[in-house]
Amino acid sequence: RILVPMVSRREEIVAVRKRIRRARARLRREGHAVADDVALGAMIEVPAAAIAAHALADAVDFLSIGTNDLVQYLLAADRNHEALGELYSPLHPAVLRVLRDVVRTGQRRGKPVTVCGEIAADPAFVPLLLALGLTELSLHPTTLLEVRRTIRGCDLGRLRAAAPALLRARHRDGIEAWLTAHKPA
């Protein structure tokens, strides 16, 4: 699998596919064994890619949402700048809607969608991600057991049924209240 970062347009994926084909042909001419097909994915971390996910999904085999950069660029708040710390939040209603939209696009197009970044590795966010339809998380191995325990404690049907209430939240406090109400036992 090859994941292309910082994609903003479908044309970038098309260009990468062409380069992969050329590299595969060159390697075979040189006598190297090369897989016939390598899955190609787009990292959705630029707002333009999230908004145009439907066009990207038709050109890739999978999508991966890079939440750290997506939140930063979507909210125009540098995550490493102390003075902007309150502005940078994955619990912003716009972030949740963008996540939901990318997941729906992947589902409609039959493309797997993975989420990576800090929220994928934080057990506190697991109910929210599951409610939005995410089923594949990419995270650091040190957080795997805790995230796995959290997933096991979740009632997926209950979370999916509660997703509309989550998406109706108008501010961070409402989203935090939803998370508190849906915290696994």
Side-chain angles (χ1 to χ4, degrees), residues 85-165:
E86 281 298 310
L87 296 176
Y88 177 89
S89 173
L91 297 180
H92 190 288
V95 172
L96 299 189
R97 285 177 181 79
V98 166
L99 290 174
R100 181 219 38 214
D101 291 349
V102 173
V103 170
R104 280 186 177 172
T105 296
Q107 290 169 340
R108 287 183 190 128
R109 302 280 196 297
K111 308 293 172 143
V113 179
T114 303
V115 66
C116 62
E118 293 171 9
I119 69 171
D122 188 336
F125 291 107
V126 166
L128 179 150
L129 296 173
L130 294 175
L132 295 176
L134 286 153
T135 58
E136 295 185 35
L137 309 177
S138 176
L139 46 102
H140 193 275
T142 59
T143 61
L144 181 62
L145 290 177
E146 193 174 352
V147 168
R148 188 175 174 184
R149 268 193 295 273
T150 303
I151 291 170
R152 283 188 173 163
C154 290
D155 178 338
L156 187 57
R158 181 175 170 251
L159 291 174
R160 297 272 168 87

Side-chain angles (χ1 to χ4, degrees), residues 24-89:
R24 182 183 296 122
R26 187 184 79 243
L27 289 168
R28 285 185 174 153
R29 281 193 307 273
E30 294 172 2
H32 300 283
V34 181
D36 288 333
D37 193 30
V38 176
L40 181 63
M43 179 71 87
I44 307 298
E45 55 196 331
V46 175
I51 293 166
H54 62 284
L56 289 170
D58 291 338
V60 297
D61 302 303
F62 65 96
L63 299 168
S64 183
I65 304 170
T67 58
N68 296 349
D69 286 327
L70 183 60
V71 171
Q72 176 174 303
Y73 298 138
L74 191 62
L75 301 178
D78 184 349
R79 66 181 179 261
N80 297 317
H81 194 290
E82 278 186 36
L84 301 176
E86 281 298 310
L87 296 176
Y88 177 89
S89 173

